[in-house]
Amino acid sequence: MPQERIKNIFVAGLDPFNLRLLHSVRHAERYAFHTLYERQQITYAKSFDMAALLDEGRRVLRAFDGPVDAIVGYWDFPSILMIPILRRELGLPGPSLESVLRCQHKYWSRLEQAKALPDQVPRFALVDPFEDDPAAPPLSFPFWLKPVTAHSSLLGFLVKDVSEYRHALAETRAGIHRFARPLDVLMEYADLPAEIAEAGAWKCIAEEIISAGRQCTLEGYVLNGEAEVYGIVDSIRGPNRSSLERYEYPSALPDPVKARLRASAAKVLGQIGLDDTPFNMEFFYHAADDSLALLEINARISKSHSPLFDKVEGVPHKEVMIDVALGRKPDYPARQGAFRYAAKFMPRLYGHSADEIVTHAPSKPEIQALEEQYPGTEIQLHIEEGMQLGEDHHYDEYSYELGAI
């Protein structure tokens, strides 16, 4: 019987930490992982020249001496929308660009979500941050204001009054180009309904606040039209109810609530038309009235959860990403982990400014000693002595993330 050839899998933004996790999947010896883009190019670059990035991706893929079997990624914008374009051009399986946009473009996503789950979607409104008169709020205070596409909660503002609304609009006008310009280019590749084409890339969405209750993230996949949720992760926010401080797996939510979450996920994914892709979907559960509220949908795995699955299941859920990209039904969860529970902690600083200097950070030997003292622990520092807080890219509008534990 002839031996199955090695599958060539190109990874957008491949980095050493995630390469180690990719090599931890079952049957990793059957895969060869190749870098499609450097991480910096598609994550924290100050600007994204989308035409040049797409051309570079095409060049790398066409120059490869061998078959390209899959293109995968676990980063947010813009690569989440670049990959469907490159897959389509090479005839590889994967979700349509339009279905991914129906997740990524927050206004379009809310329109589709409201059709499927009207009782689980907050009130929302489209906002033009460049209007002459920004004084009239689109919703009753307080509400969230966000660009229709961004990442890492950047330019996401909790708005409590007219003064804060004007401040949020001013900050958005100053920074939205970083996301809107590349989104403009990417949307040109899609077949858009008139309403979404008119909304475009330079708008914001105002959303009713739904952050009360217990937040969780469903990790799953859709293959051949069938949705499967294989894990639910609890998300715990900081004292500002905005910044995420901790993930815990598996979720402590009651089983009947988990069943309702899975049913809601399948329903909204069918409305959006997402297929042949992993996904993660964030909800809030309000125990007081037993209600659910949908926060957002992402057409990818959450890379932040991968080490948690690795510790509990014994295999990172990047295995799901690989299987689906190759058109194969995943056999997951693995149930081979060394631990019953796992958590990721993200220590944060609140109320500090970007120009403040880090005066001390633990050394590599100190970190290694901690990891050895507590088996299973992994520590990644985002800061180092002498740097300014703003030099690192792990922050939102209200806090600075110092590391991941």
Side-chain angles (χ1 to χ4, degrees):
M1 185 174 180
Q3 185 177 7
E4 184 181 1
R5 71 168 176 82
I6 300 295
K7 300 292 187 183
N8 294 303
I9 300 173
F10 279 79
V11 185
L14 187 60
D15 63 301
F17 181 80
N18 285 289
L19 179 59
R20 178 180 66 78
L21 289 167
L22 286 166
H23 282 147
S24 299
V25 305
R26 290 171 291 187
H27 313 301
E29 70 279 359
R30 300 178 185 176
Y31 311 126
F33 300 108
H34 308 277
T35 301
L36 181 56
Y37 295 101
E38 297 298 329
R39 173 182 169 181
Q40 177 65 21
Q41 290 178 286
I42 58 168
T43 54
Y44 303 118
K46 292 183 178 179
S47 63
F48 303 107
D49 185 339
M50 197 48 52
L53 281 172
L54 286 169
D55 282 344
E56 180 178 344
R58 295 179 180 113
R59 178 189 59 77
V60 170
L61 293 166
R62 289 169 182 166
F64 182 67
D65 184 18
V68 176
D69 297 291
I71 305 173
V72 299
Y74 36 75
W75 298 101
D76 204 335
F77 183 82
S79 61
I80 188 67
L81 294 173
M82 295 162 58
I83 293 173
I85 295 171
L86 297 173
R87 281 179 177 148
R88 183 172 63 189
E89 293 176 358
L90 268 66
L92 296 172
S96 68
L97 174 61
E98 290 78 10
S99 67
V100 178
L101 271 168
R102 282 191 285 270
C103 301
Q104 187 70 33
H105 191 289
K106 296 182 186 298
Y107 180 63
W108 195 3
S109 191
R110 284 304 194 193
L111 290 174
E112 297 301 318
Q113 293 168 25
K115 295 174 185 176
L117 304 172
D119 296 333
Q120 298 178 27
V121 175
R123 293 183 302 124
F124 61 95
L126 192 66
V127 175
D128 184 351
F130 297 95
E131 280 186 349
D132 292 335
D133 179 17
L139 300 174
S140 300
F141 295 116
F143 57 83
W144 282 103
L145 186 74
K146 314 168 186 177
V148 291
T149 289
H151 69 71
S152 306
S153 299
L154 295 175
L155 296 181
F157 296 94
L158 176 59
V159 177
K160 301 174 185 174
D161 54 37
V162 170
S163 174
E164 290 189 358
Y165 183 48
R166 286 178 170 163
H167 170 74
L169 289 171
E171 292 292 312
T172 299
R173 285 192 293 271
I176 196 173
H177 58 87
R178 181 166 179 248
F179 307 108
R181 283 178 183 152
L183 182 59
D184 258 341
V185 175
L186 292 163
M187 291 178 73
E188 291 176 1
Y189 285 85
D191 183 13
L192 303 174
E195 182 177 8
I196 303 307
E198 184 177 349
W202 293 83
K203 301 289 198 308
C204 293
I205 184 171
E207 293 184 344
E208 182 182 25
I209 293 175
I210 57 171
S211 58
R214 296 166 64 177
Q215 185 178 354
C216 66
T217 303
L218 279 61
E219 292 277 0
Y221 63 88
V222 191
L223 187 65
N224 299 323
E226 295 293 323
E228 177 75 23
V229 174
Y230 55 80
I232 301 178
V233 179
D234 287 334
S235 302
I236 292 85
R237 292 181 179 264
N240 64 358
R241 302 297 302 161
S242 170
S243 305
L244 286 166
E245 286 195 347
R246 187 166 81 255
Y247 300 121
E248 298 179 354
Y249 177 73
S251 170
L253 286 169
D255 287 341
V257 175
K258 293 178 181 178
R260 289 167 53 201
L261 288 166
R262 289 184 170 92
S264 292
K267 189 172 183 179
V268 72
L269 289 167
Q271 174 66 38
I272 285 173
L274 196 67
D275 201 1
D276 299 329
T277 181
F279 69 86
N280 71 79
M281 192 179 306
E282 297 181 46
F283 282 89
F284 280 91
Y285 170 62
H286 304 264
D289 59 4
D290 197 35
S291 66
L292 302 176
L294 174 56
L295 182 58
E296 67 179 30
I297 307 168
N298 297 294
R300 56 176 174 81
I301 65 168
S302 168
K303 62 176 176 51
S304 293
H305 297 160
S306 208
L308 305 184
F309 282 98
D310 190 28
K311 295 178 190 306
V312 175
E313 306 298 349
V315 178
H317 70 327
K318 286 179 169 61
E319 182 174 289
V320 173
M321 175 184 72
I322 293 168
D323 283 339
V324 174
L326 293 172
R328 187 167 58 211
K329 184 175 176 61
D331 175 23
Y332 200 86
R335 298 291 189 248
Q336 297 177 5
F339 304 95
R340 292 180 60 197
Y341 301 95
K344 176 180 177 179
F345 294 82
M346 294 156 282
R348 292 181 177 273
L349 279 180
Y350 298 91
H352 290 255
S353 61
D355 58 358
E356 290 186 55
I357 304 295
V358 177
T359 59
H360 174 76
S363 66
K364 288 183 179 179
E366 288 175 315
I367 290 173
Q368 185 177 356
L370 277 173
E371 291 177 335
E372 291 173 353
Q373 184 177 354
Y374 300 98
T377 300
E378 297 170 278
I379 302 173
Q380 293 176 294
L381 276 189
H382 302 329
I383 58 169
E384 59 186 29
E385 187 174 333
M387 70 177 285
Q388 292 184 335
L389 280 177
E391 289 180 42
D392 182 67
H393 303 286
H394 296 83
Y395 61 85
D396 56 28
E397 299 300 334
Y398 302 103
S399 68
Y400 295 88
E401 183 183 321
L402 304 181
I405 306 171

